[in-house]
Amino acid sequence: KTSCVGLASLALSLVTVFSDFSEGYSLAKTSMSIAGSDKRVLCSIMTITYGMINIWKEPIQAILPQMKDVYNMSLKYGLIDNALVTGMLHAYRAFFTGSLLKPFSKEVALFMRNNSERHKRRLMHLCVAPISNGISCLCGSSGSQYVDEFITEEHLAEALRNKEFAACEAMFAIKMMCSFIFRRPDGIKPTARQYLELFERHGSASAQFVNIY
């Protein structure tokens, strides 16, 4: 069972470090097929496969329902960190690929409420807060278009200090994508420059950061 997760991690490295998308995609499928019936192991593999590998090979609209299933299954089996990572990946990818705002806003609100009341993972909350604010902007219930204002230099530094590289990657992606959606091109270059500086300084994290690079 452990080797299945290791195989999925190898598949992720092939995609992110070596840009071998086809081989990584194939290995991820293999890890899923030999994982067996252990739902806890499957949750870990599916987060890697659907959240970080298949997005390079399949239409994202086809992957979003799978990620939602992984989120719910991870909660069911008590895998809180896995659930929050999957929920965060689902939230920002759904927002940036044209999901219907009304049902999506309810999902994001539930994610935020569960995290605030039960799980209390601060960095995950910070990653999803701009999406929640962005939905409010697009629905006309918020006057501010600075939807990424929740993510500051201190938050990025905290994520790196705690080796929360997935959260840091998401923060950068959200900041840049919000700049495009809300037509603030002046915010893109500084964010991209900051990202490249971090990429150079934290070579050990490059497997995460190559997704944006």
Side-chain angles (χ1 to χ4, degrees), residues 23 27 30 48-49 54-55 58 66 78 87 111 125 134 141 148 150 152 177 189-190 205-206:
E23 186 64 22
L27 273 183
T30 301
I48 296 171
T49 299
N54 288 13
I55 55 170
E58 298 178 9
Q66 306 280 4
F111 178 91
H125 184 87
S141 56
D148 59 346
F150 299 97
T152 66
M177 290 176 179
K189 283 187 177 181
S206 59

Side-chain angles (χ1 to χ4, degrees), residues 47 50-51 55 60 63-71 82-101 103-113 115 123-135 138 170-171 173-174 177-178 181:
T47 295
Y50 294 126
I55 55 170
I60 198 164
I63 296 172
L64 291 176
Q66 306 280 4
M67 295 180 69
K68 193 185 299 185
D69 290 343
V70 178
Y71 171 72
N82 198 75
L84 291 176
V85 168
T86 307
M88 178 266 292
L89 291 172
H90 174 272
Y92 87 76
R93 285 166 178 161
F95 181 60
F96 295 127
T97 53
S99 293
L100 293 173
L101 289 177
F104 180 52
S105 65
K106 295 178 181 178
E107 295 174 6
V108 171
L110 180 61
F111 178 91
M112 298 280 283
R113 185 164 62 251
N115 189 40
L123 288 174
M124 290 298 174
H125 184 87
L126 289 169
C127 287
V128 181
I131 297 168
S132 178
N133 198 25
I135 292 171
L138 293 172
M171 289 179 185
I174 289 165
M177 290 176 179
C178 283
I181 287 177

Side-chain angles (χ1 to χ4, degrees), residues 152-166:
T152 66
E153 300 285 335
E154 290 75 18
H155 298 144
L156 289 166
E158 179 185 349
L160 287 170
R161 199 164 49 245
N162 296 334
K163 300 188 184 301
E164 298 261 9
F165 298 126

